[in-house]
Amino acid sequence: MSNFSKSEKEIYDLRLEKIQYFLEHSKDPFPTQFTGGSKIADIITRHNDLLDAEHSGVEVQIHGRILNGRSFGKLSFYDLVDYSGKIQLLVDSKTLPDEESLHFSKYDSGDIVGVKGEVMKTKKGELSVKVISSTILSKSLRTLPEKWHGLKDKETRFRQRYLDFIVNPDAKQTIETRSKVINSIRNFMHAKEFIEVETPILQPKAGGAIAKPFITHHNALDVDMYLRIAPELYLKRMIVGGFEKVFELGRVFRNEGIDQTHSPEFTMMESYEAYTNVEGVIKMVEDMCSAVFTDLQLSHEISFDGKKADFSFPWEKASMFSLVSEYVNLKIEFDSDLNHTIKELNTNNIEFSEDSKTIGLLVYDLFERYVEENIINPTFITDYPVEVSPFARNNKDNPNVTERFELFAFGSELANGFSELIDPIEQETRLKSQAQKKELGDEEAHVEDMDYIEALEHALPPTGGLGFGIDRFVMMLTGNTSIREVVAFPHLKPEN
């Protein structure tokens, strides 16, 4: 049994006594089922036009959790909530048999009960169910926190998330919206004839992205394994194998920091389509997000973290080099002289990383430092340097940049997509370069994956790839500024 305060222990013991009461009166406090109940939302829809003090003459059977109770002499009122909504129960001890009244007196906030009664409206216009009979379905041994008072502390809310869902309707609605977003995306992908596949979560090499992995050990094989940082390389193996449109919607893991927009475990939809390029992927992203807005009947005017953005389609496109040049008030192009550019930046007191050994790395660093946080309206950022895009095809007109985009809104990345690099020789060269960085201590550099190279040597068709962040998208659609709010059970440091 968990530790209790003195008052909590008293409540616990009193509720144990009530369990004994139900046992003695042939009422199982934990029955196996309760059938034939109506959804509270349906009852509200059908009877909300009743007049004040009007009885419908309609008997219903419902079930749910008691949130609180109020007593006024012979009349008692309780709020009952199921997954669809909340309704008031009216208990009139003048008309209810004594045994039924006694049963109700044994109920507490938090109990789950089944109720049979007549739909009516009170004199004050509150739609209610006047109780005829009831049964205990599950006895709660602990009291619920008061709404907004007993569960305001964020740490408590996330550690006891089930209580958060019970007493904070907004928290529950956020998770319901998340489910609708995921369903909408799945339906869109299926309608576009993509097939959903499952790739390994435990991988012998952490590939497909530049990130620090979680490491574990496979005892039977006696090898170290990695929680996937992306499903990319396995999904592209599917394309090599003849599947022309594949996607996976699931968890990925990165052993990095935790903040408002980053979690070590997050949800991503990753897709690959043969015979298309980055422009086809951009079009698909817009169509997919448009479908979500339509399915959920959302406004394109989104407010988030005190800012407003216009999510109307089509979304903007902008070159990383152009945006950086505009910010630092210095024209930086693909072929700019590195030393001259650094000198100009120093003259203007603009800080940058000393590890920026090429123009591409310098521009990427400046973009991350100064530009991305100021992108409010959804914008596809293009012209990513080849140095930070190991799996993207070079731009035909300029081999220093790739056919890649990242989608930003409200200063956060939502998606990453590109024309896939399908040349196995060029891919091997890039992975060897990444492996050298890893040997020099760069934990986030990509590993050299020769098995993937061998797959490419069997010919990967022209392919467009996408990684789309579900969590951040839901954050923006629901107005939650913390990623923990849109995850049912976020990670927390243990209390002890």
Side-chain angles (χ1 to χ4, degrees):
M1 186 184 298
S2 303
N3 292 327
F4 291 102
S5 67
K6 183 177 179 181
S7 60
E8 288 173 335
K9 182 64 167 62
E10 291 173 350
I11 292 171
Y12 189 91
D13 289 342
L14 284 172
R15 294 192 175 196
L16 278 178
E17 292 177 7
K18 292 176 181 178
I19 286 181
Q20 189 60 38
Y21 163 85
F22 288 120
L23 290 172
E24 291 172 355
H25 289 77
S26 301
K27 293 271 189 179
D28 184 356
F30 304 103
T32 58
Q33 65 176 353
F34 181 79
T35 58
S38 300
K39 289 197 301 185
I40 287 175
D42 290 343
I43 294 172
I44 293 172
T45 300
R46 291 171 191 156
H47 300 281
N48 209 34
D49 59 352
L50 288 174
L51 301 176
D52 293 356
E54 183 180 359
H55 289 247
S56 69
V58 176
E59 287 188 3
V60 295
Q61 185 166 278
I62 55 177
H63 54 75
R65 187 186 296 272
I66 295 175
L67 290 188
N68 52 59
R70 306 165 297 282
S71 182
F72 302 93
K74 297 289 185 179
L75 293 179
S76 297
F77 301 91
Y78 300 83
D79 290 332
L80 189 77
V81 61
D82 69 3
Y83 76 97
S84 72
K86 181 177 70 173
I87 199 166
Q88 179 173 269
L89 301 180
L90 187 156
V91 179
D92 186 351
S93 60
K94 291 187 298 183
T95 59
L96 199 64
D98 291 344
E99 185 180 18
E100 287 295 335
S101 294
L102 184 58
H103 288 334
F104 240 95
S105 71
K106 302 298 182 181
Y107 297 154
D108 295 292
S109 173
D111 286 358
I112 297 174
V113 299
V115 172
K116 181 179 180 181
E118 180 193 8
V119 183
M120 59 165 291
K121 265 192 179 177
T122 64
K123 293 179 181 179
K124 293 185 177 181
E126 183 76 19
L127 189 67
S128 306
V129 173
K130 185 177 181 181
V131 176
I132 297 172
S133 63
S134 68
T135 183
I136 184 72
L137 299 179
S138 187
K139 184 66 185 171
S140 174
L141 295 176
R142 290 180 180 257
T143 187
L144 292 176
E146 289 184 56
K147 181 181 177 183
W148 310 125
H149 298 287
L151 204 63
K152 289 191 300 184
D153 178 70
K154 286 187 176 182
E155 287 296 311
T156 302
R157 285 181 52 227
F158 293 131
R159 288 190 191 281
Q160 295 181 289
R161 195 70 149 120
Y162 48 92
L163 292 181
D164 191 26
F165 294 145
I166 291 171
V167 302
N168 294 335
D170 289 345
K172 182 169 172 281
Q173 186 175 9
T174 292
I175 301 303
E176 291 173 347
T177 299
R178 178 192 179 96
S179 176
K180 292 176 182 177
V181 169
I182 290 173
N183 285 338
S184 178
I185 290 174
R186 274 203 168 98
N187 291 338
F188 173 86
M189 298 302 286
H190 290 150
K192 293 295 181 181
E193 299 183 334
F194 282 78
I195 67 166
E196 186 169 7
V197 298
E198 294 175 307
T199 61
I201 291 177
L202 284 175
Q203 300 182 353
K205 292 187 176 182
I210 298 176
K212 185 178 179 181
F214 286 92
I215 305 173
T216 186
H217 188 78
H218 194 302
N219 290 334
L221 297 177
D222 193 25
V223 294
D224 284 340
M225 302 286 280
Y226 303 87
L227 293 181
R228 67 181 181 195
I229 55 176
E232 175 174 341
L233 301 188
Y234 285 93
L235 288 172
K236 285 193 280 193
R237 287 175 171 93
M238 300 286 290
I239 301 293
V240 171
F243 297 88
E244 294 188 358
K245 292 183 176 183
V246 297
F247 81 98
E248 184 168 11
L249 207 162
R251 296 285 198 174
V252 292
F253 308 86
R254 299 181 184 180
N255 197 1
E256 299 170 343
I258 298 176
D259 59 27
Q260 292 289 92
T261 60
H262 292 85
S263 172
E265 175 183 7
F266 61 98
T267 301
M268 184 163 62
M269 194 284 286
E270 194 152 327
S271 69
Y272 292 86
E273 179 179 358
Y275 309 109
T276 192
N277 64 5
V278 67
E279 292 301 323
V281 177
I282 287 175
K283 177 66 165 56
M284 190 190 80
V285 171
E286 286 191 318
D287 290 345
M288 179 181 74
C289 292
S290 179
V292 172
F293 274 82
T294 299
D295 290 346
L296 275 66
Q297 299 181 332
L298 300 171
S299 168
H300 291 102
E301 299 298 319
I302 301 295
S303 297
F304 180 76
D305 197 19
K307 306 178 183 70
K308 291 185 178 181
D310 183 2
F311 274 64
S312 299
F313 302 94
W315 290 342
E316 300 174 37
K317 295 179 186 176
S319 165
M320 178 184 294
F321 282 74
S322 298
L323 291 179
V324 168
S325 297
E326 182 180 341
Y327 181 86
V328 300
N329 198 26
L330 172 66
K331 192 171 183 62
I332 307 177
E333 298 183 298
F334 317 111
D335 56 355
S336 295
D337 181 78
L338 179 63
N339 292 328
H340 174 73
T341 303
I342 288 176
K343 182 178 179 181
E344 291 293 320
L345 292 174
N346 285 327
T347 299
N348 291 287
N349 296 316
I350 296 173
E351 295 184 1
F352 56 90
S353 171
E354 295 182 359
D355 293 330
S356 303
K357 304 299 183 184
T358 66
I359 280 291
L361 290 175
L362 177 62
V363 168
Y364 184 69
D365 175 60
L366 293 171
F367 175 78
E368 286 197 314
R369 284 174 182 262
Y370 304 116
V371 179
E372 66 178 50
E373 67 181 4
N374 295 308
I375 301 173
I376 305 303
N377 288 329
T379 306
F380 295 101
I381 305 301
T382 61
D383 293 333
Y384 270 73
V386 68
E387 297 94 323
V388 295
S389 311
F391 294 103
R393 182 192 291 263
N394 297 73
N395 186 298
K396 289 184 295 184
D397 299 323
N398 186 344
N400 294 316
V401 297
T402 57
E403 293 186 10
R404 175 187 174 188
F405 74 85
E406 284 189 331
L407 172 63
F408 285 87
F410 291 111
S412 289
E413 177 196 347
L414 281 177
N416 181 23
F418 35 82
S419 302
E420 298 297 329
L421 179 59
I422 65 174
D423 179 351
I425 298 173
E426 171 65 17
Q427 185 67 85
E428 183 176 358
T429 299
R430 292 197 197 177
L431 289 184
K432 284 186 181 296
S433 175
Q434 288 284 316
Q436 289 173 358
K437 292 180 180 179
K438 186 170 283 291
E439 288 180 2
L440 294 174
D442 185 349
E443 292 182 322
E444 293 188 352
H446 203 284
V447 294
E448 185 177 3
D449 190 338
M450 294 310 297
D451 181 75
Y452 174 66
I453 299 299
E454 184 175 341
L456 287 188
E457 290 172 345
H458 288 85
L460 174 69
T463 299
L466 168 70
F468 187 87
I470 301 296
D471 306 276
R472 290 181 185 172
F473 190 45
V474 174
M475 285 172 62
M476 294 176 190
L477 297 184
T478 59
N480 284 292
T481 56
S482 170
I483 196 170
R484 297 196 299 181
E485 296 285 358
V486 302
V487 176
F489 296 98
H491 291 284
L492 297 166
K493 189 175 182 179
E495 287 185 287
N496 299 319

